[in-house]
Amino acid sequence: MTGTSLNIPHTLGVIPARLASTRLSRKVLRPIAGRPMLAWVYEAATACPQLDRVVIATDSEEVASLCRQNNWPVQLTSPDLPSGTDRVHAVSQLIHADIYVNIQGDEPLLKPEHLTALLRPFAQRHVEVSTLKVLCTPENITNPNAVKVVTAADGRALYFSRSTIPYDRDSKSPQCWKHIGLYAYRKSTLDRLPTLPPSTLEQTERLEQLRFLENNIDIYVEPTTFDTIGVDTEEDLRRVEALLHSK
C-alpha cells in the first residue's frame, strides 16, 4: 500500500483495541455477523490505499493472540494508558511515520473511503490534525451520544458538542453535522498531546478533541457521505449486525 495518490507522507494506521471497555465488555472481540468486531475494522483499514501500514495497538494478550492467529500486525501497549490517542502515541514511539491515523477499534462499519477522506486535508502542509463529519440524521440532532461539530468556511473545527449546534433560534433548519471519531495527526502534533493537561471544556463535555482546540491546535474536518455506528452498547451491536447481514 502506498500514499502516492494523495501526495502525502508515510502514513501509519493504528487501531487502538482495548479489551476492558466499560460500557460493553470485551467489545472488540464480540462476534458480529460471524467475525470478531476487530476483523471488520482491520479489513476496512487495510483496504485503504493511502495507508502504508496498519497495526493494532492493544493492552490485552488475548487480543494480541487473535491478531497473531490472523497475521495482523500487533503492538502491546500499557494497560495504564487513559485513551486511544495515548495508545497511538505509544505506537508512534516505536514505529516511525509522518502521519498517524487513529482508527477506532469499535467502528465495524468503517470503509476505506472514510480514511481516504480523513487524509485528504494533509495535501495542505499547514494541516496538523484532521477528522470527519457526516450530515446528522433527525433522530441524532438532540441525541447527546451523537457528537456535533460546527466548522469555519475553510473546514477548521470551531466547536464540538453533545448539545445541538448550531441552535436553530429562528427555525431556519440549518445543516447539522455529526462528528465521526476518526483522527489523523502529524507526528509533531501527536507528540505534543500527552504534554497537554485535560482542559476545562474537555472535562465538561467529556470530549477529548476539545483539548486540541483549547490549546490552539486546529482540527480540519472533512465531510463524508458514509455514516458509522460506534459500538458502545448491546443495542449498537444488534444494529450493526443487522446492517452487515443485509449487505
Side-chain angles (χ1 to χ4, degrees):
M1 292 181 287
T2 65
T4 55
S5 62
L6 287 181
N7 193 29
I8 59 176
H10 182 74
T11 304
L12 176 69
V14 182
I15 304 174
R18 180 171 174 263
L19 188 60
S21 50
T22 54
R23 295 179 64 188
L24 183 62
S25 177
R26 302 169 54 82
K27 65 181 176 180
V28 296
L29 296 182
R30 293 287 295 271
I32 301 178
R35 305 171 67 197
M37 185 189 305
L38 190 56
W40 293 98
V41 179
Y42 180 79
E43 181 179 273
T46 54
C48 174
Q50 284 77 38
L51 294 182
D52 296 293
R53 184 180 174 190
V54 176
V55 63
I56 294 164
T58 185
D59 59 353
S60 162
E61 183 56 46
E62 188 175 353
V63 173
S65 178
L66 174 70
C67 294
R68 296 184 193 110
Q69 291 169 24
N70 289 278
N71 294 315
W72 303 336
V74 63
Q75 181 64 54
L76 279 167
T77 55
S78 169
D80 298 326
L81 295 173
S83 72
T85 304
D86 291 292
R87 220 166 290 286
V88 175
H89 178 260
V91 170
S92 77
Q93 305 307 294
L94 303 170
I95 304 173
H96 173 75
D98 300 301
I99 294 172
Y100 294 84
V101 182
N102 185 346
I103 306 166
Q104 315 293 1
D106 59 2
E107 291 278 3
L109 298 183
L110 179 76
K111 293 178 177 289
E113 291 89 344
H114 286 121
L115 304 176
T116 297
L118 184 67
L119 289 166
R120 193 170 292 125
F122 288 91
Q124 303 178 73
R125 292 181 180 274
H126 66 276
V127 172
E128 295 293 327
V129 184
S130 71
T131 191
L132 296 177
K133 65 180 181 180
V134 67
L135 281 174
C136 201
T137 58
E139 61 270 23
N140 272 332
I141 289 176
T142 59
N143 178 5
N145 293 317
V147 177
K148 272 68 70 175
V149 60
V150 290
T151 60
D154 64 354
R156 284 179 301 112
L158 297 175
Y159 195 63
F160 299 85
S161 183
R162 297 183 183 279
S163 297
T164 301
I165 53 174
Y167 175 69
D168 188 13
R169 193 189 73 167
D170 297 323
S171 301
K172 293 184 177 180
S173 300
Q175 285 186 330
C176 185
W177 293 90
K178 173 190 165 187
H179 175 230
I180 294 178
L182 302 168
Y183 298 92
Y185 325 87
R186 291 197 194 273
K187 176 70 162 61
S188 57
T189 300
L190 183 59
D191 282 341
R192 279 188 64 194
L193 298 182
T195 71
L196 302 174
S199 66
T200 302
L201 292 174
E202 172 191 9
Q203 292 177 320
T204 301
E205 294 249 21
R206 299 293 299 272
L207 296 175
E208 184 185 20
Q209 62 269 39
L210 292 175
R211 190 187 311 184
F212 304 170
L213 301 189
E214 285 197 83
N215 285 278
N216 298 312
I217 299 173
D218 288 335
I219 303 175
Y220 284 79
V221 187
E222 189 74 8
T224 177
T225 57
F226 301 107
D227 202 354
T228 67
I229 298 174
V231 176
D232 288 316
T233 65
E234 293 286 351
E235 181 184 358
D236 295 334
L237 199 69
R238 289 191 292 270
R239 288 171 61 205
V240 168
E241 186 156 41
L243 287 168
L244 290 174
H245 271 306
S246 68
K247 285 188 175 182

